Amino acid sequence: MFAERLSAYLAAPKNAPFPDLGPLLRQHDWLAQLDPTPSPASQLLLANGLGMLFIELTDRCNERCIHCYAESSPQCSTMLSREEIERVLEQALTLGKPAVQFTGGDPLLHPELVFAVQTARELGFETLEIYTNGLALNDALLARLSPFSPSFAFSVYSHDAGVHDAITQTSGSLKRTLKAMRRVQQTGLPLRVGIILMAENRGSETETMAFLQQELGLDEAQMGVDVVRSTGRGEFMRDSQPVAGALQQFRHRPDTPQGAENPPPTVAIPPRRGKLCVAANGDVFPCIFSRRLRLGYICNQTLMEVFSALDERSHSLPSAGHWQRCRESLSCSDCQAIAYLLEDEHALA
Protein backbone atom coordinates (compact mmCIF):
# COMPACT_ATOMS: atom_id res chain seq x y z
CA MET A 1 0.00 0.00 0.00
CA PHE A 2 2.80 2.40 0.88
CA ALA A 3 4.74 1.65 -2.31
CA GLU A 4 1.69 2.12 -4.51
CA ARG A 5 0.69 5.38 -2.84
CA LEU A 6 4.21 6.73 -2.98
CA SER A 7 4.56 5.72 -6.64
CA ALA A 8 1.36 7.62 -7.47
CA TYR A 9 2.53 10.62 -5.44
CA LEU A 10 5.88 10.84 -7.22
CA ALA A 11 4.09 10.79 -10.57
CA ALA A 12 1.54 13.41 -9.52
CA PRO A 13 1.74 17.11 -10.48
CA LYS A 14 4.00 19.30 -8.39
CA ASN A 15 2.54 20.47 -5.05
CA ALA A 16 0.08 17.56 -4.93
CA PRO A 17 -0.82 16.61 -1.33
CA PHE A 18 1.06 13.73 0.21
CA PRO A 19 -1.24 10.68 0.51
CA ASP A 20 -2.70 9.74 3.87
CA LEU A 21 -0.78 6.66 5.06
CA GLY A 22 -3.11 5.98 7.98
CA PRO A 23 -2.20 2.90 10.05
CA LEU A 24 1.09 2.52 8.17
CA LEU A 25 2.45 5.43 10.20
CA ARG A 26 1.78 3.50 13.40
CA GLN A 27 3.44 0.34 12.11
CA HIS A 28 6.47 2.04 10.48
CA ASP A 29 7.31 5.19 12.40
CA TRP A 30 10.09 6.23 9.99
CA LEU A 31 7.44 7.09 7.37
CA ALA A 32 6.64 10.23 9.36
CA GLN A 33 10.06 11.57 8.37
CA LEU A 34 9.29 11.64 4.64
CA ASP A 35 9.53 15.11 3.15
CA PRO A 36 5.99 16.33 2.27
CA THR A 37 7.28 17.66 -1.05
CA PRO A 38 8.02 15.46 -4.07
CA SER A 39 11.30 13.63 -3.44
CA PRO A 40 13.50 12.21 -6.17
CA ALA A 41 14.46 8.54 -6.00
CA SER A 42 17.94 9.41 -4.76
CA GLN A 43 16.47 11.12 -1.69
CA LEU A 44 14.13 8.21 -1.02
CA LEU A 45 17.11 5.88 -1.03
CA LEU A 46 19.57 8.11 0.83
CA ALA A 47 17.02 9.36 3.38
CA ASN A 48 18.71 11.47 6.10
CA GLY A 49 22.19 10.47 5.01
CA LEU A 50 23.91 7.17 4.42
CA GLY A 51 23.71 5.10 7.59
CA MET A 52 24.95 1.64 6.57
CA LEU A 53 27.59 0.64 4.03
CA PHE A 54 28.12 -3.01 3.12
CA ILE A 55 31.38 -3.70 1.28
CA GLU A 56 31.70 -7.19 -0.17
CA LEU A 57 35.46 -7.43 -0.42
CA THR A 58 35.38 -10.73 -2.32
CA ASP A 59 32.85 -13.26 -3.55
CA ARG A 60 35.19 -16.09 -2.61
CA CYS A 61 34.20 -18.15 0.42
CA ASN A 62 35.55 -21.31 2.05
CA GLU A 63 32.00 -22.56 2.65
CA ARG A 64 29.23 -23.42 0.17
CA CYS A 65 26.11 -22.47 2.13
CA ILE A 66 22.98 -23.80 0.47
CA HIS A 67 21.10 -20.50 0.94
CA CYS A 68 23.87 -17.95 0.18
CA TYR A 69 22.33 -14.70 -1.08
CA ALA A 70 25.59 -13.78 -2.88
CA GLU A 71 26.15 -17.25 -4.38
CA SER A 72 29.68 -17.29 -2.94
CA SER A 73 31.87 -20.40 -2.97
CA PRO A 74 35.51 -21.54 -3.02
CA GLN A 75 35.36 -21.41 -6.82
CA CYS A 76 34.66 -17.66 -6.91
CA SER A 77 37.60 -15.28 -7.23
CA THR A 78 36.35 -11.71 -7.76
CA MET A 79 37.82 -9.10 -5.41
CA LEU A 80 37.73 -5.35 -4.97
CA SER A 81 41.15 -3.77 -5.40
CA ARG A 82 42.96 -1.86 -2.69
CA GLU A 83 42.30 1.39 -4.57
CA GLU A 84 38.59 0.63 -5.00
CA ILE A 85 38.17 -0.12 -1.29
CA GLU A 86 39.81 3.16 -0.31
CA ARG A 87 37.84 5.16 -2.87
CA VAL A 88 34.49 3.72 -1.77
CA LEU A 89 35.22 4.43 1.89
CA GLU A 90 36.21 8.03 1.12
CA GLN A 91 33.16 8.65 -1.07
CA ALA A 92 30.76 7.13 1.45
CA LEU A 93 31.71 9.79 3.98
CA THR A 94 30.46 12.49 1.59
CA LEU A 95 26.98 10.93 1.87
CA GLY A 96 26.77 10.63 5.65
CA LYS A 97 28.43 8.96 8.62
CA PRO A 98 27.67 5.32 7.97
CA ALA A 99 28.56 2.21 9.84
CA VAL A 100 30.58 -0.11 7.61
CA GLN A 101 30.45 -3.88 7.39
CA PHE A 102 33.13 -5.80 5.51
CA THR A 103 31.56 -8.95 4.18
CA GLY A 104 31.68 -11.24 1.16
CA GLY A 105 32.05 -14.10 0.41
CA ASP A 106 34.29 -14.24 3.38
CA PRO A 107 36.26 -11.03 3.93
CA LEU A 108 39.05 -12.89 5.76
CA LEU A 109 40.07 -14.33 2.38
CA HIS A 110 40.82 -10.89 0.93
CA PRO A 111 44.55 -10.06 1.12
CA GLU A 112 43.77 -6.39 1.86
CA LEU A 113 41.35 -6.90 4.74
CA VAL A 114 43.71 -5.35 7.30
CA PHE A 115 44.26 -2.38 4.98
CA ALA A 116 40.49 -1.98 4.59
CA VAL A 117 39.88 -2.04 8.34
CA GLN A 118 42.78 0.32 9.07
CA THR A 119 41.69 2.75 6.35
CA ALA A 120 38.11 2.82 7.64
CA ARG A 121 39.33 3.63 11.13
CA GLU A 122 41.73 6.32 9.93
CA LEU A 123 38.96 7.94 7.86
CA GLY A 124 36.80 8.16 10.96
CA PHE A 125 34.26 5.33 10.63
CA GLU A 126 33.06 4.79 14.18
CA THR A 127 31.15 1.52 13.70
CA LEU A 128 33.11 -1.16 11.87
CA GLU A 129 32.17 -4.84 11.61
CA ILE A 130 33.62 -7.92 9.92
CA TYR A 131 30.99 -10.53 8.96
CA THR A 132 32.69 -13.90 8.61
CA ASN A 133 32.38 -17.63 9.16
CA GLY A 134 35.71 -17.41 10.99
CA LEU A 135 37.31 -20.43 9.33
CA ALA A 136 40.34 -18.37 8.26
CA LEU A 137 40.65 -16.37 11.49
CA ASN A 138 44.03 -17.49 12.85
CA ASP A 139 45.95 -15.86 15.68
CA ALA A 140 48.25 -13.93 13.35
CA LEU A 141 45.40 -12.31 11.39
CA LEU A 142 43.47 -11.48 14.55
CA ALA A 143 46.58 -9.85 16.04
CA ARG A 144 46.88 -7.59 12.96
CA LEU A 145 43.19 -6.63 13.11
CA SER A 146 42.89 -6.09 16.87
CA PRO A 147 44.59 -2.65 17.04
CA PHE A 148 41.72 -1.23 14.97
CA SER A 149 39.02 -2.65 17.29
CA PRO A 150 36.61 -4.11 14.75
CA SER A 151 33.44 -5.91 15.80
CA PHE A 152 32.80 -9.41 14.47
CA ALA A 153 29.63 -11.12 13.33
CA PHE A 154 29.28 -14.85 12.69
CA SER A 155 26.62 -17.15 11.29
CA VAL A 156 25.69 -20.25 13.30
CA TYR A 157 22.93 -22.42 11.89
CA SER A 158 22.53 -25.06 14.57
CA HIS A 159 23.85 -26.43 17.84
CA ASP A 160 24.01 -29.76 16.00
CA ALA A 161 27.28 -29.96 14.04
CA GLY A 162 25.69 -32.30 11.50
CA VAL A 163 22.95 -29.82 10.68
CA HIS A 164 25.26 -26.79 10.64
CA ASP A 165 27.85 -28.51 8.45
CA ALA A 166 25.16 -29.74 6.05
CA ILE A 167 23.96 -26.17 5.55
CA THR A 168 27.49 -24.84 4.98
CA GLN A 169 28.41 -27.97 2.99
CA THR A 170 31.73 -27.86 4.83
CA SER A 171 32.80 -30.63 7.18
CA GLY A 172 33.89 -29.43 10.62
CA SER A 173 32.68 -25.87 10.00
CA LEU A 174 30.74 -25.48 13.26
CA LYS A 175 33.75 -26.52 15.32
CA ARG A 176 36.00 -24.09 13.45
CA THR A 177 33.51 -21.20 13.70
CA LEU A 178 33.16 -21.71 17.46
CA LYS A 179 36.96 -21.74 17.77
CA ALA A 180 37.15 -18.41 15.93
CA MET A 181 34.48 -16.90 18.15
CA ARG A 182 36.43 -17.91 21.27
CA ARG A 183 39.53 -16.27 19.81
CA VAL A 184 37.62 -13.03 19.32
CA GLN A 185 36.28 -13.20 22.87
CA GLN A 186 39.79 -13.65 24.24
CA THR A 187 40.84 -10.38 22.61
CA GLY A 188 37.90 -8.56 24.19
CA LEU A 189 36.46 -7.52 20.82
CA PRO A 190 32.64 -7.45 20.51
CA LEU A 191 30.83 -10.13 18.53
CA ARG A 192 27.33 -11.13 17.59
CA VAL A 193 25.72 -14.17 15.97
CA GLY A 194 23.06 -14.51 13.29
CA ILE A 195 20.90 -17.64 13.04
CA ILE A 196 19.22 -18.00 9.64
CA LEU A 197 16.23 -20.32 9.60
CA MET A 198 15.32 -22.69 6.79
CA ALA A 199 13.77 -26.15 6.47
CA GLU A 200 17.02 -27.82 7.55
CA ASN A 201 17.20 -26.12 11.00
CA ARG A 202 13.69 -24.89 11.61
CA GLY A 203 12.46 -25.44 15.15
CA SER A 204 15.94 -25.70 16.70
CA GLU A 205 16.59 -21.98 17.19
CA THR A 206 15.81 -22.01 20.91
CA GLU A 207 18.22 -24.89 21.49
CA THR A 208 20.88 -23.19 19.35
CA MET A 209 20.62 -19.96 21.33
CA ALA A 210 20.84 -21.90 24.60
CA PHE A 211 23.88 -23.73 23.24
CA LEU A 212 25.63 -20.46 22.35
CA GLN A 213 24.81 -19.05 25.75
CA GLN A 214 26.26 -22.12 27.46
CA GLU A 215 29.33 -22.53 25.23
CA LEU A 216 30.29 -18.87 24.78
CA GLY A 217 28.35 -16.97 27.42
CA LEU A 218 26.43 -14.95 24.83
CA ASP A 219 23.34 -13.06 25.91
CA GLU A 220 20.16 -12.45 23.93
CA ALA A 221 21.35 -9.05 22.72
CA GLN A 222 24.25 -10.76 20.91
CA MET A 223 22.04 -13.19 18.98
CA GLY A 224 19.54 -12.57 16.20
CA VAL A 225 17.25 -14.81 14.18
CA ASP A 226 16.09 -14.27 10.62
CA VAL A 227 14.79 -16.23 7.63
CA VAL A 228 16.32 -17.05 4.26
CA ARG A 229 15.77 -14.35 1.64
CA SER A 230 14.74 -15.28 -1.90
CA THR A 231 17.88 -14.15 -3.63
CA GLY A 232 21.03 -15.95 -4.78
CA ARG A 233 20.87 -19.64 -3.87
CA GLY A 234 18.05 -18.76 -1.47
CA GLU A 235 15.89 -18.08 -4.53
CA PHE A 236 15.30 -21.81 -4.84
CA MET A 237 14.27 -22.26 -1.18
CA ARG A 238 11.13 -20.15 -1.35
CA ASP A 239 8.75 -22.96 -0.39
CA SER A 240 10.82 -24.09 2.59
CA GLN A 241 11.10 -20.73 4.35
CA PRO A 242 9.49 -20.32 7.78
CA VAL A 243 7.03 -17.50 8.24
CA ALA A 244 8.77 -14.33 9.38
CA GLY A 245 6.06 -13.81 12.00
CA ALA A 246 7.32 -16.90 13.80
CA LEU A 247 10.37 -14.88 14.81
CA GLN A 248 8.33 -12.55 17.01
CA GLN A 249 9.49 -14.26 20.22
CA PHE A 250 13.12 -13.43 19.35
CA ARG A 251 12.58 -9.73 18.69
CA HIS A 252 13.76 -7.39 21.40
CA ARG A 253 11.53 -4.46 20.36
CA PRO A 254 7.77 -5.11 20.35
CA ASP A 255 6.00 -4.06 17.18
CA THR A 256 3.01 -1.75 17.28
CA PRO A 257 -0.17 -3.89 17.50
CA GLN A 258 -1.73 -4.26 14.08
CA GLY A 259 -5.17 -3.31 15.35
CA ALA A 260 -4.16 -0.37 17.52
CA GLU A 261 -6.80 2.36 17.44
CA ASN A 262 -4.53 5.06 18.79
CA PRO A 263 -0.90 5.82 17.92
CA PRO A 264 1.73 4.99 20.57
CA PRO A 265 2.95 7.73 22.92
CA THR A 266 5.20 10.27 21.24
CA VAL A 267 8.84 9.23 21.44
CA ALA A 268 11.99 10.46 19.79
CA ILE A 269 12.27 8.65 16.45
CA PRO A 270 15.83 8.16 15.21
CA PRO A 271 16.36 9.70 11.76
CA ARG A 272 15.93 7.19 8.98
CA ARG A 273 19.27 6.48 7.28
CA GLY A 274 19.98 4.99 3.88
CA LYS A 275 21.82 1.78 3.07
CA LEU A 276 24.18 0.83 0.26
CA CYS A 277 26.04 -2.30 -0.80
CA VAL A 278 29.15 -2.43 -3.00
CA ALA A 279 29.69 -5.92 -4.39
CA ALA A 280 33.02 -7.56 -5.11
CA ASN A 281 32.66 -6.87 -8.84
CA GLY A 282 31.95 -3.16 -8.30
CA ASP A 283 28.18 -3.29 -8.69
CA VAL A 284 26.20 -1.06 -6.34
CA PHE A 285 22.97 -2.30 -4.74
CA PRO A 286 20.63 -0.65 -2.22
CA CYS A 287 21.09 -3.60 0.16
CA ILE A 288 23.03 -6.86 0.29
CA PHE A 289 19.78 -8.75 -0.40
CA SER A 290 18.40 -6.39 -3.05
CA ARG A 291 20.59 -7.81 -5.81
CA ARG A 292 18.01 -7.55 -8.58
CA LEU A 293 18.20 -3.76 -8.31
CA ARG A 294 21.59 -2.68 -9.67
CA LEU A 295 22.09 1.04 -9.07
CA GLY A 296 25.47 1.60 -10.67
CA TYR A 297 29.10 0.57 -11.00
CA ILE A 298 31.97 2.02 -8.96
CA CYS A 299 34.53 1.45 -11.70
CA ASN A 300 33.11 4.30 -13.79
CA GLN A 301 30.92 6.21 -11.31
CA THR A 302 31.36 7.85 -7.94
CA LEU A 303 28.79 6.97 -5.28
CA MET A 304 27.33 10.46 -5.62
CA GLU A 305 26.93 9.92 -9.38
CA VAL A 306 25.21 6.60 -8.66
CA PHE A 307 22.66 8.38 -6.48
CA SER A 308 22.19 11.25 -8.95
CA ALA A 309 21.50 8.82 -11.79
CA LEU A 310 18.58 7.32 -9.85
CA ASP A 311 16.48 10.42 -10.47
CA GLU A 312 16.34 9.50 -14.16
CA ARG A 313 14.87 6.05 -13.48
CA SER A 314 11.20 5.44 -14.10
CA HIS A 315 9.04 3.94 -11.38
CA SER A 316 7.54 0.46 -11.60
CA LEU A 317 3.83 0.15 -12.27
CA PRO A 318 1.71 -1.33 -9.46
CA SER A 319 1.91 -5.13 -9.44
CA ALA A 320 0.88 -7.52 -6.66
CA GLY A 321 3.26 -10.21 -7.95
CA HIS A 322 6.21 -7.82 -8.04
CA TRP A 323 5.43 -6.60 -4.51
CA GLN A 324 5.31 -10.20 -3.26
CA ARG A 325 8.75 -10.91 -4.73
CA CYS A 326 10.15 -7.81 -3.00
CA ARG A 327 8.69 -8.95 0.31
CA GLU A 328 10.12 -12.46 -0.03
CA SER A 329 13.66 -11.33 -0.77
CA LEU A 330 13.93 -8.26 1.49
CA SER A 331 13.43 -8.02 5.24
CA CYS A 332 13.12 -4.24 5.74
CA SER A 333 9.94 -2.38 4.84
CA ASP A 334 11.81 0.54 3.31
CA CYS A 335 14.04 -1.79 1.24
CA GLN A 336 10.89 -3.53 -0.02
CA ALA A 337 9.35 -0.23 -1.06
CA ILE A 338 12.55 1.01 -2.75
CA ALA A 339 12.92 -2.22 -4.74
CA TYR A 340 9.25 -2.12 -5.68
CA LEU A 341 9.54 1.42 -6.98
CA LEU A 342 12.87 1.18 -8.81
CA GLU A 343 13.16 -2.38 -10.11
CA ASP A 344 12.26 -2.99 -13.71
CA GLU A 345 9.89 -5.91 -13.26
CA HIS A 346 9.88 -6.81 -16.96
CA ALA A 347 13.69 -6.95 -17.07
CA LEU A 348 13.59 -9.50 -14.25
CA ALA A 349 11.20 -11.86 -15.99
Side-chain angles (χ1 to χ4, degrees):
M1 180 167 61
F2 162 64
E4 290 184 1
R5 290 185 180 183
L6 183 57
S7 181
Y9 171 64
L10 292 173
K14 199 169 184 178
N15 299 322
F18 194 78
D20 179 17
L21 297 178
L24 286 176
L25 286 178
R26 296 195 289 272
Q27 296 173 31
H28 306 292
D29 49 22
W30 62 267
L31 292 176
Q33 300 174 29
L34 287 173
D35 192 324
T37 58
S39 300
S42 60
Q43 290 303 310
L44 176 66
L45 184 60
L46 190 58
N48 292 290
L50 187 62
M52 185 69 213
L53 174 65
F54 301 96
I55 300 182
E56 298 177 349
L57 297 178
T58 177
D59 61 0
R60 185 183 174 203
C61 188
N62 40 20
E63 293 182 339
R64 304 173 182 82
C65 294
I66 60 177
H67 63 290
C68 181
Y69 66 87
E71 300 187 83
S72 301
S73 75
Q75 287 70 46
C76 296
S77 59
T78 305
M79 295 185 180
L80 290 174
S81 69
R82 181 185 180 106
E83 293 73 25
E84 288 168 340
I85 295 168
E86 184 174 26
R87 188 166 68 247
V88 166
L89 289 170
E90 290 173 345
Q91 292 174 6
L93 290 176
T94 68
L95 301 172
K97 295 182 178 180
V100 61
Q101 182 189 92
F102 293 113
T103 181
D106 195 287
L108 302 187
L109 301 181
H110 196 291
E112 299 291 353
L113 172 62
V114 176
F115 167 80
V117 171
Q118 179 178 358
T119 300
R121 278 290 183 235
E122 291 176 347
L123 287 172
F125 285 83
E126 295 181 4
T127 304
L128 194 163
E129 183 178 77
I130 299 171
Y131 203 113
T132 175
N133 58 43
L135 270 59
L137 188 62
N138 54 42
D139 289 332
L141 178 56
L142 187 56
R144 295 176 62 204
L145 291 167
S146 293
F148 309 108
S149 302
S151 300
F152 282 84
F154 298 85
S155 291
V156 174
Y157 302 106
S158 176
H159 62 287
D160 184 321
V163 174
H164 178 97
D165 294 358
I167 291 173
T168 65
Q169 300 192 82
T170 307
S171 179
S173 59
L174 176 60
K175 182 178 179 180
R176 294 168 66 186
T177 294
L178 292 174
K179 186 176 181 180
M181 293 168 68
R182 292 189 181 98
R183 278 196 174 109
V184 170
Q185 286 183 314
Q186 289 169 3
T187 66
L189 295 173
L191 66 83
R192 66 181 180 91
V193 177
I195 304 169
I196 308 301
L197 299 183
M198 59 200 84
E200 287 73 8
N201 63 352
R202 187 185 309 171
S204 66
E205 52 270 25
T206 299
E207 291 177 275
T208 299
M209 294 176 80
F211 168 78
L212 292 170
Q213 186 173 20
Q214 179 180 352
E215 289 290 315
L216 298 167
L218 302 184
D219 58 39
E220 289 186 356
Q222 293 175 280
M223 296 180 281
V225 182
D226 203 352
V227 298
V228 172
R229 299 298 162 188
S230 295
T231 187
R233 289 196 287 270
E235 173 73 22
F236 306 101
M237 305 176 71
R238 191 173 299 171
D239 296 334
S240 66
Q241 294 176 18
V243 178
L247 305 181
Q248 185 63 41
Q249 60 178 310
F250 299 106
R251 292 175 180 163
H252 307 300
R253 180 187 62 81
D255 290 337
T256 302
Q258 296 279 336
E261 294 296 330
N262 300 308
T266 302
V267 296
I269 302 173
R272 174 177 167 259
R273 305 291 184 186
K275 290 182 289 188
L276 205 63
C277 171
V278 177
N281 66 353
D283 283 341
V284 180
F285 303 110
C287 173
I288 55 174
F289 298 122
S290 192
R291 307 184 84 82
R292 300 186 185 97
L293 179 51
R294 182 179 180 273
L295 304 179
Y297 187 52
I298 63 164
C299 295
N300 56 22
Q301 292 173 290
T302 66
L303 292 184
M304 184 58 76
E305 288 171 343
V306 169
F307 275 105
S308 298
L310 294 180
D311 298 336
E312 304 302 320
R313 293 176 87 117
S314 58
H315 301 297
S316 300
L317 296 175
S319 164
H322 183 37
W323 175 244
Q324 182 61 30
R325 282 190 291 274
C326 293
R327 293 193 64 190
E328 288 173 347
S329 61
L330 300 167
S331 58
C332 303
S333 57
D334 54 340
C335 283
Q336 293 167 1
I338 289 167
Y340 180 83
L341 288 170
L342 296 182
E343 280 183 358
D344 184 347
E345 182 186 10
H346 300 291
L348 302 174

